[in-house]
Amino acid sequence: MFGSSHGGANAYAKVGVETGVVAASPHKLIVMLFDGALTALAVALQHMQTGSIAGKGQAISKAIAIIDSGLRASLNKEAGGEIAQSLDALYEYMSTRLMTANLENRPEMIEEVQRLLKDLKGAWEAIDPAAATSAQALAAPPRVSAYDAFAPSTSTLVKA
């Protein structure tokens, strides 16, 4: 009568993701892409174990789309130089491995790509500019206030 509870939960999750994307920094967006690809690959492995060919194919296709249209497309090859070129080649390798894993039903290839993505995600998180700013704020000496507990104070209350 009122629809399934899964529909409401999915809609709520979608709004949460969309809100996270709108509020995220460019650095956080890349982390979200890594997370999305890793989640899709975990789902693909589950489908592979249960023999769900369609589910496996959809999950692997989603991971490839995230790698190609998200991570790979976000590379600035002019500004990034050799690093961007190397990442581009690595992302192409990952996509090729995933296509082969899908065709040949090879979980070890999916696990290989998962390891590569986890390593890249860890490196990306290590260079988080927000974390560096937070670390600098923590390392800064504390401010000394001019508050003196024994000095007479003036009231901010106004008498009527």
Side-chain angles (χ1 to χ4, degrees), residues 1-157:
M1 178 177 191
F2 294 106
S4 72
S5 62
H6 293 294
N10 289 338
Y12 184 78
K14 183 178 178 185
V15 168
V17 168
E18 288 173 357
T19 303
V21 168
V22 170
S25 68
H27 190 274
K28 179 65 177 167
L29 289 172
I30 298 298
V31 172
M32 292 172 78
L33 288 170
F34 281 121
D35 286 339
L38 287 166
T39 299
L41 293 178
V43 169
L45 283 172
Q46 288 175 344
H47 285 300
M48 194 175 277
Q49 290 170 352
T50 61
S52 173
I53 295 170
K56 173 194 70 167
Q58 288 173 343
I60 290 176
S61 293
K62 182 176 183 178
I64 291 171
I66 291 170
I67 291 168
D68 287 344
S69 300
L71 294 169
R72 194 170 178 198
S74 69
L75 294 173
N76 184 339
K77 294 176 192 158
E78 290 80 35
E82 188 178 323
I83 293 173
Q85 295 293 334
S86 295
L87 284 172
D88 184 58
L90 183 59
Y91 292 144
E92 182 178 358
Y93 172 79
M94 288 182 201
S95 294
T96 302
R97 294 296 279 179
L98 291 175
M99 284 188 277
T100 304
N102 189 24
L103 292 172
E104 297 177 6
N105 214 35
R106 306 244 330 251
E108 68 275 6
M109 290 182 170
I110 294 174
E111 291 163 352
E112 174 192 7
V113 173
Q114 281 179 316
R115 284 190 300 275
L116 291 169
L117 287 170
K118 285 177 186 176
D119 288 346
L120 288 173
K121 180 185 175 206
W124 190 252
E125 288 174 328
I127 61 168
D128 183 3
T133 303
S134 298
Q136 288 173 349
L138 291 174
R143 288 183 163 180
V144 178
S145 70
Y147 176 74
D148 183 356
F150 297 107
S153 62
T154 57
S155 174
T156 57
L157 296 176

